[in-house]
Every structure is written in C-alpha cells, then in structure tokens.
Amino acid sequence: MYLKKLDINSITYPQYLHHQLTIFHQIELLKIYLPYIHIIGIFNDNDELIGIFYYFKKSKWGVSYIIPPPFVPNNGLVFHTSSEKSETIYSTIKELHHLIVNYFKDEEVANYIRFVLPPQWKDTQVFQWNQWNVKPNYTYQINLELSIDELYNNLSSEKRKSIRKSEKDGIIIKQEKNYDIVKTLVLKTFSRQKKKINTIYLEKILNNWANENNSFAYVAYLNNQPIATAFCVYDNSSAYYLFGGYDFENVHHGAGVTCMWQSILKSKELGLKVFDFEGSMLPNVEKYFRDFGGELVPYFVCEQKKGLMKFLL
C-alpha cells in the first residue's frame, strides 16, 4: 500500500467504499474547509484507491496543528480489503497505521497532530509503539430500530418529565428551515458560556452546505419566540447531532430536550439506524446525552506533540 494526496475536485469514491462512507465524506462538505483540508488516498500495489482519510491543517500564533475538520467527529479513515481472514485484516490495518504514522513524520510536520479514529477502529498499537499519546473518548448512540415506545421508555425519568413539562407549558416544536435562527441560538449559548466556537465554519455549514437532503433542525418556540434548537446532519444510515443552543434570557428546562427528542423521532422517520450524539468528555454534557438512553461507544484519539507543544499543552 501507499498514500497519496488527492485533488478534491477530482475525487470519485469507488463503489466498494460506499457502505463505509458517512455524511462527513461528502465532497461538498469537505470543500467548505478549503484551502486547509487535505484528503489522502490509500492505494494498493495495483494503484487502485482502496481507502481515504482527511485532516485540517492550519497555524495559529506560529504553531502549526493538524486536527479533524471543525464540527467533524474524526479523520474519516475508511479502507477496503477483500480478505475475510482475521490475521490478514489485522496485518493490513497495522501496515496502514504504519503508513499514516510515517506520513505525518515525513510529509506533514506540525507542532500538534490530533488524529481521531472512527469508532469501528479498535487497534491503536502502532500509534502507541511510535510514542503517540492514545486515549479513549466516548459517544452515545441510539438504536433507531427500536420502537418509539421503547425509545421513549429508555429516556431517563428526568428527560420524560422535561418533555411533558414543555408540552404543558405551551412550548411549540417546529422543524425549522431558517438556519439563521439556529445560528443565533447556537451563538447565544457559546457567548453565555464564554466559550469560543468557529463561526466561520458554523456559517458555512448552515448557509452554504446544509439542505433538506443532508440535515434538519428543530426549534422550540415560546410565545412565538425561538428559545432552543437542535441541528443534525444525516446520511443513509445515521444521524449526527452537530450542535444546539438556547436563549439564556428565556430558558425552559424542557425546550432543548424536546428539540432533541423530536430530532431522534425524525431520524427514525427517515429510516435511519443510528442516532449519534458525537460524544463529549465534559461531565455535564455527557450526563445530558446519557439520559437519552443510548449505548456508550468508545473511540480513540491519537495525539502527537512536538517541540514546545509538549510543554505548552
């Protein structure tokens, strides 16, 4: 195998990769990250494209860094093998990981590299052998093949109470097509929490890329005023909660919860199999996601810090 950079304007995914691709592999989405997005092809010895991954490279304050693109959960590593033998599959994965490690060592010098593996990738030994820091992170995933009653019963009693309260208090939940409302509520949340958000890519996702074929949003209204939102993207099998927000001057305990619940129901209505919360290591956010009754799913973050970054981080 070998790796080679791909031209984003001429990428055609081979058919045998399609079942592994997610909404985050969509070329039109990746294009919003130009010129900082890099897409790397994985080729076999017959020069056939058998996999890809991507990363976002930029510099700030003189420090270069490589990470997944903003709002994208991982580096999109997928590859195809025709072998069914476990030994051959594991050996191929290790060979691929050696190629990735050497690629970042030889081709892409950066002070900090954060390479996030999709949840299905469990083997991280090659990264550890090469002195990368490997740590587990977690997301929650809901099985949408359950019935609506089962999904509702899997909610915590607190979440069910919040939904009933929103109905009792006259909260109206609407599927919102005006994404400017979504953006305003998201920005209010981050401003209130005094946290930074990448407004450039938030706006590009909402204004330049999102449409009814790849995303949906729910907004909670109280007295005709938008007070909370949940925004999701989806592909043929899964929906992903990308971001949400609320109006801190009109907080209602059940508004955001009911937006999320409607998003789960919408995902099931679309015939999807999984609703993914995209994870969080913040204790209060983890508890919020956990209460929706999903399965805890680990994934691995591989980090490489060079030079002063070892001390600065």
Side-chain angles (χ1 to χ4, degrees), residues 6 63 104 110 122 182 297:
L6 301 177
V63 175
F104 285 123
K122 307 299 185 186
V182 174
V297 177

Side-chain angles (χ1 to χ4, degrees), residues 51-302:
I52 70 149
F53 63 89
Y54 44 70
Y55 59 90
F56 181 90
K57 183 179 182 182
K58 203 173 181 183
S59 296
K60 188 173 184 179
W61 303 321
V63 175
S64 60
Y65 58 91
I66 289 172
I67 58 174
F71 302 110
V72 173
N74 55 63
N75 290 87
L77 178 60
V78 294
F79 93 109
H80 169 77
T81 176
S82 57
S83 177
E84 296 182 357
K85 292 178 61 177
S86 295
E87 183 275 332
T88 302
I89 293 172
Y90 290 137
S91 296
T92 304
I93 289 173
K94 281 187 163 54
E95 180 185 355
L96 174 56
H97 285 179
H98 275 295
L99 286 173
I100 292 172
V101 167
N102 290 332
Y103 173 85
F104 285 123
K105 183 186 299 181
D106 299 333
E107 300 293 334
E108 286 292 346
V109 177
N111 301 100
Y112 173 69
I113 302 172
R114 186 173 191 263
F115 194 86
V116 182
L117 294 168
Q120 64 268 27
W121 289 79
K122 307 299 185 186
D123 185 355
T124 63
Q125 287 182 314
V126 170
F127 291 96
Q128 296 178 65
W129 294 338
N130 284 272
Q131 285 73 56
W132 287 55
N133 180 39
V134 177
K135 57 186 179 183
N137 280 16
Y138 299 89
T139 184
Y140 282 96
Q141 295 180 350
I142 293 177
N143 177 9
L144 296 175
E145 295 181 310
L146 298 176
S147 69
I148 292 176
D149 287 342
E150 288 173 316
L151 292 172
Y152 186 77
N153 290 333
N154 284 343
L155 299 175
S156 70
S157 58
E158 179 184 345
K159 289 291 184 285
R160 294 197 299 269
K161 182 179 178 181
S162 295
I163 292 171
R164 292 194 297 269
K165 181 170 175 55
S166 70
E167 295 172 350
K168 180 181 177 181
D169 293 348
I171 299 290
I172 303 298
I173 308 296
K174 297 180 182 179
Q175 187 173 345
E176 184 58 69
K177 295 183 179 181
N178 182 355
Y179 287 163
D180 285 339
I181 295 174
V182 174
K183 180 176 68 175
T184 297
L185 290 168
V186 171
L187 292 178
K188 280 186 176 182
T189 300
F190 279 82
S191 175
R192 174 69 173 178
Q193 296 175 348
K194 296 182 179 180
K195 294 180 179 179
K196 293 183 178 180
I197 186 173
N198 197 317
T199 55
I200 293 175
Y201 296 110
L202 173 69
E203 292 179 357
K204 285 187 174 184
I205 288 173
L206 292 174
N207 298 335
N208 300 347
W209 173 75
N211 59 56
E212 60 184 11
N213 296 316
N214 59 32
S215 59
F216 56 82
Y218 281 92
V219 173
Y221 288 83
L222 181 61
N223 299 323
N224 294 320
Q225 294 296 316
I227 63 171
T229 188
F231 175 82
C232 301
V233 299
Y234 67 92
D235 50 40
N236 292 329
S237 63
S238 302
Y240 306 84
Y241 171 67
L242 213 59
F243 38 72
Y246 64 93
D247 183 350
F248 57 86
E249 295 179 348
N250 293 284
V251 176
H252 187 284
H253 187 65
V257 173
T258 310
C259 285
M260 190 75 81
W261 172 240
Q262 289 300 319
S263 298
I264 294 168
L265 294 181
K266 174 67 175 179
S267 301
K268 181 172 178 60
E269 177 188 320
L270 288 168
L272 308 180
K273 295 180 179 180
V274 175
F275 186 92
D276 194 329
F277 285 92
E278 272 210 9
S280 177
M281 296 301 286
L282 300 175
N284 59 328
V285 179
E286 185 276 338
K287 172 64 167 60
Y288 181 81
F289 290 164
R290 188 199 324 155
D291 281 354
F292 284 93
E295 177 186 357
L296 186 66
V297 177
Y299 61 93
F300 291 97
V301 177
C302 306

